[in-house]
Amino acid sequence: MRVVTVVGNRPQFVKAAAVSRRLREHHDELLVHTGQHYDDDMSRVFFEELALPRADRELGVGSASAPVQTGRMLESLDQVLADARPDLVIVYGDTNSTLAGALAGAQVRAPVAHVEAGMRSFDWSMPEELNRVLADHASALLLCSTETAARNLRSEGITAGVHIVGDAMADVLLEMTPVAKERSNALKREGVEPGRYLLVTAHRAGNVDDPARLGALVDLLEAVPSPVVFPVHPRTRARLDAAGLTARLEANKGIRLSSPVGYLDLVALAASARAILTDSGGLQKEAYLLGVPCITLRDTTEWVETVESGWNTLVDLSADAALAALEREPPAERPELYGGGHAGERICEEIDAFACERSG
Ligand code: UD1
């Protein structure tokens, strides 16, 4: 089949790394990078470290409000899809690039495969929730990471084309953790010892775009035990600068602010942290897979199994709740939740089966 894969930002480069090379063994793939993330440390480093095939098309949409950014993507994708005439469009996750890819595919009547379908936070104030739901309802092939995701789809009346395949990010993490431990010198660079620091990431619009919540995040970072390693996403950096909070964090000797780090450094820092504090979806899973307690800086999560198993605690931006969570002993058990590193294989099997059905 002719397949167009649409990626555009950091977590999608990781997920596509589990699928693209394998997909190309049986199908022609055109990899399209929307340009939602464009800085070297948000984009190029992931292609290099994960040996993701070079993008065949770069749309270069850059930053803008969600509707404008999505609109620009749609306009460019319309042309790409008209030229490529794909038999399948693949999208990943829940970002503006996901929605644009799904909508553009559906509009030219190309079937859409959504990897990480069915995730729900049930929080409609998150732009990602809108992106997820709309992408799922535009998709023909719904490739779910978990049973919960398939159940969520059923409750919205989606039953055809749903397959539980495991999680593509888990594949990459399991493969790359030994490589990260060997190659990364991030702990040395940050001056931290294994098991004796907290890793923090935060970039959700709901946490960083509102100055009061951004202030609460900074209060929380100052309240938790140091050292704290905090690679700062560009959105967060811009909001901290605008609120005059960067200098306050920089003045705190226990908090090490840095630019966003590449995949191998992130995995090395995550694997050896005492705990991870984050509002990222991906990092909640990665913490679980690495056996590191996660403290999620949100009041909802799509990755409910990590909470039910006792490895993840939702604290929103409460410093007291974060401190209490840090005191808790990690559970003894850590059941297999995300497919054990075989999601890429299963995704490609489902795509092969879909190709057979269409040609038969
Ligand atoms: C997006 C996704 C989010 C995902 C995250 C991963 C949406 C709605 N959100 O959020 O679900 O978890 O990516 O990182 O799609 N910027 C740069 N350089 C870059 C990229 C962005 O400076 O390479 C700046 C932009 O100027 C903008 C801000 O970061 O001000 C936000 O970027 P954007 O891609 O719109 O959303 P994210 O917050 O990254």
Side-chain angles (χ1 to χ4, degrees):
M1 286 194 302
R2 273 194 308 274
V3 178
V4 169
T5 297
V6 180
V7 294
N9 43 31
R10 215 164 45 168
Q12 293 166 344
F13 308 141
V14 179
K15 293 165 197 171
V19 177
S20 269
R21 268 169 294 147
R22 189 173 275 111
L23 181 78
R24 287 170 184 222
E25 291 169 13
H26 295 159
H27 307 282
D28 289 328
E29 183 190 45
L30 186 87
L31 186 66
V32 180
H33 185 333
T34 63
Q36 180 172 354
H37 286 176
Y38 45 85
D39 288 342
D40 281 355
D41 54 13
M42 298 291 285
S43 176
R44 187 182 49 80
V45 65
F46 291 84
F47 281 76
E48 286 175 6
E49 289 184 344
L50 301 174
L52 186 62
R54 268 172 64 107
D56 301 294
R57 298 272 190 293
E58 306 254 5
L59 307 184
V61 297
S63 301
S65 68
V68 171
Q69 192 180 52
T70 312
R72 283 184 195 153
M73 291 177 195
L74 275 173
E75 189 170 353
S76 302
L77 283 169
D78 188 42
Q79 194 56 56
V80 171
L81 298 185
D83 295 342
R85 300 161 54 85
D87 303 302
L88 186 70
V89 174
I90 303 181
V91 297
Y92 292 89
D94 58 14
T95 75
N96 296 336
S97 299
T98 315
L99 176 59
L103 208 50
Q107 277 165 341
V108 299
R109 304 220 179 285
V112 176
H114 184 199
V115 176
E116 226 180 69
M119 303 313 299
R120 298 288 182 268
S121 66
F122 304 101
D123 174 359
W124 282 96
S125 68
M126 289 179 77
E128 292 85 356
E129 186 74 356
L130 188 65
N131 292 340
R132 291 178 191 121
V133 173
L134 296 177
D136 283 339
H137 284 261
S139 295
L141 205 49
L142 297 111
L143 302 164
C144 297
S145 299
T146 63
E147 170 57 43
T148 308
R151 210 164 39 239
N152 290 337
L153 291 174
R154 270 199 301 281
S155 73
E156 291 173 20
I158 304 178
T159 49
V162 177
H163 305 278
I164 300 167
V165 292
D167 191 83
M169 258 186 160
D171 292 18
V172 181
L173 183 78
L174 296 174
E175 185 188 333
M176 297 305 274
T177 302
V179 181
K181 285 185 173 166
E182 195 186 300
R183 287 205 209 145
S184 167
N185 63 1
L187 273 79
K188 198 179 278 173
R189 204 175 56 228
E190 298 295 340
V192 289
E193 303 279 334
R196 292 171 173 261
Y197 62 93
L198 302 176
L199 174 65
V200 175
T201 80
H203 71 273
R204 292 271 171 209
N207 279 342
V208 305
D209 286 5
D210 170 359
R213 287 188 57 84
L214 187 63
L217 172 67
V218 170
D219 291 344
L220 184 151
L221 297 185
E222 290 181 335
V224 293
S226 61
V228 169
V229 177
F230 183 14
V232 187
H233 185 289
R235 171 189 283 272
T236 310
R237 174 73 71 171
R239 302 300 184 268
L240 287 169
D241 289 351
L245 289 167
T246 310
R248 192 173 129 196
L249 284 173
E250 278 172 352
N252 187 318
K253 292 211 162 34
I255 301 176
R256 290 143 164 80
L257 296 189
S258 70
S259 302
V261 293
Y263 186 75
L264 295 178
D265 283 349
L266 194 276
V267 171
L269 287 168
S272 293
R274 172 183 163 198
I276 296 172
L277 286 77
T278 189
D279 61 10
S280 148
L283 208 39
Q284 292 174 55
K285 268 180 287 189
E286 289 164 337
Y288 181 84
L289 291 160
L290 292 166
V292 175
C294 188
I295 295 172
T296 293
L297 306 172
R298 292 173 45 192
D299 59 2
T300 59
T301 182
E302 307 77 54
W303 304 100
V304 287
E305 299 84 1
T306 61
V307 175
E308 287 160 5
S309 67
W311 283 90
N312 187 6
T313 312
L314 305 180
V315 303
D316 197 10
L317 294 176
S318 160
D320 288 343
L323 288 169
L326 279 169
E327 289 311 312
R328 220 166 291 145
E329 278 293 307
E333 306 272 310
R334 196 158 49 85
E336 181 84 83
L337 293 181
Y338 297 117
H342 302 289
E345 267 158 66
R346 294 198 190 119
I347 289 167
C348 290
E349 280 164 19
E350 294 303 343
I351 290 172
D352 291 349
F354 182 81
C356 282
E357 259 170 52
R358 276 176 63 92
S359 65

